[in-house]
Amino acid sequence: MLALRLARGSRPLVQTRRLLVATATAGTGFLLLATLGYALGHPGSPTSVLRLLWCVLPLVATVQFAVAVARTDPGTRPRTGLSAVGLGPARLTAIAAASTAAACALGSALALLVYLHLRGDLTGLPFDGAAAGLLAADRPVPLAAALTLLAVPPVAASTAAGLALRPRTAPAAPEGAERPVPTGLPWGTALIAAGLAVETYTGRGGGEGLPLPGRLDSSPGAVLAGWVLTALGLALAGPGLVHGCGRILQAVRPGAVRLLAGRILTEEARRVGRPLGVVSAVLSGAYAGAALHAAGPESGAIGPLTGLGATLVLACTTATLLTAALEARQSREPTTEALLRVGTPPTALRRAALLRAAALAAVFLPLTWAIAELAALPLKG
């Protein structure tokens, strides 16, 4: 009940982010139910399990976005004096998990209503029964299976939010202390190389197609596995790349603006680097998918459910990056206020922000383009 009261009394921007989480969960839940509809219409087909596994990508993107929103929720941020009234760090973590579960449960309920409406089970509204053939409207929906699938996003998101926001037992680092350098860059580079090698080898050699929720059925499953390896590698390498950008900005007798921009990047490398790497992976995958679509209508036809899943992944990862940037800005508010109090001109802060954005773009845009080109080469042939 406390989580619902805090959610109801939040600011409009916070409510908007929660509604976006509910919308993303609704899209993921609809994909899961559509997979169930395919299994109902094709009993005994082994491709049903593969289609369900394909839904893991939108599910992971949705959970990542839900966790990012939970981290920026001001209602669950520790404040002085809250422990005295029973709202310690552990209780606030439980409230954050409950709020995330409530938003995702709303999205799952919306997905069920839309699914039943498009099947024609709920009438009286426009487009009722519009996807009856796609969703196997001639067969009854197994309620237990549908509810089990719809429970997966809320449970996964609330659990992930609770783990991400759990109280840390180690003492916090002193203010101004140098943060440790991210160590994932070598492992991320190795995973990127392995993923590109798998995509190149299997893409040129052909292979059995992986059935997806739509008509994009001609890509070998190992190509998608290689893309997953590449995405994991970029996520691991992202913090190290951001930290390296900060180090470069601080090198060779930096001025005040460069020093400030570089120090902020090194401080925020772990928070911003991972979602930035994931966005780079998604953009490179989208480029490869566009190359496959351009190869010919038979090999690159994209169905509505495949398009929905791709849109969900792209939208959720981009929203996660923007939310992580907002979280970083919130964590810098005391430092920003202190700089303004000592007479730092606001223009210097804006120039530092533009310099940070330019440095990240100079590194990640060419990297994304290069990986996209390498991943698309076997698909163009």
Side-chain angles (χ1 to χ4, degrees), residues 11-85:
R11 293 177 295 180
L13 183 59
V14 178
Q15 298 285 24
T16 301
R17 293 200 294 265
R18 289 171 179 159
L19 288 177
L20 290 177
V21 171
T23 303
T25 307
T28 302
F30 182 81
L31 282 178
L32 292 171
L33 292 177
T35 303
L36 176 62
Y38 179 86
L40 292 175
H42 302 78
S45 175
T47 61
S48 300
V49 178
L50 296 177
R51 287 170 173 260
L52 186 61
L53 290 177
W54 183 86
C55 295
V56 170
L57 293 179
L59 176 63
V60 170
T62 300
V63 169
Q64 183 191 28
F65 178 44
V67 171
V69 170
R71 293 175 66 94
T72 58
D73 193 339
T76 57
R77 200 174 303 162
R79 295 183 182 88
T80 305
L82 287 182
S83 297
V85 295

Side-chain angles (χ1 to χ4, degrees), residues 261-314:
R263 186 57 183 267
I264 290 176
L265 283 182
T266 56
E267 290 289 322
E268 298 173 354
R270 297 181 184 274
R271 182 180 289 117
V272 179
R274 186 166 289 111
L276 190 55
V278 172
V279 169
S280 297
V282 171
L283 291 178
S284 64
Y287 181 90
L292 180 62
H293 180 69
E298 295 181 356
S299 62
I302 298 177
L305 297 181
T306 302
L308 174 60
T311 302
L312 274 175
V313 172
L314 180 60

Side-chain angles (χ1 to χ4, degrees), residues 121-141:
D121 297 332
L122 299 179
T123 59
L125 294 174
F127 305 107
D128 53 339
L134 183 64
L135 303 178
D138 56 333
R139 297 178 179 269
V141 178

Side-chain angles (χ1 to χ4, degrees), residues 351-380:
R351 288 168 57 196
L354 292 175
L355 187 59
R356 294 196 306 271
L360 293 178
V363 171
F364 278 91
L365 287 180
L367 178 64
T368 302
W369 176 81
I371 292 178
E373 284 288 341
L374 291 175
L377 280 178
L379 300 177
K380 293 177 179 179

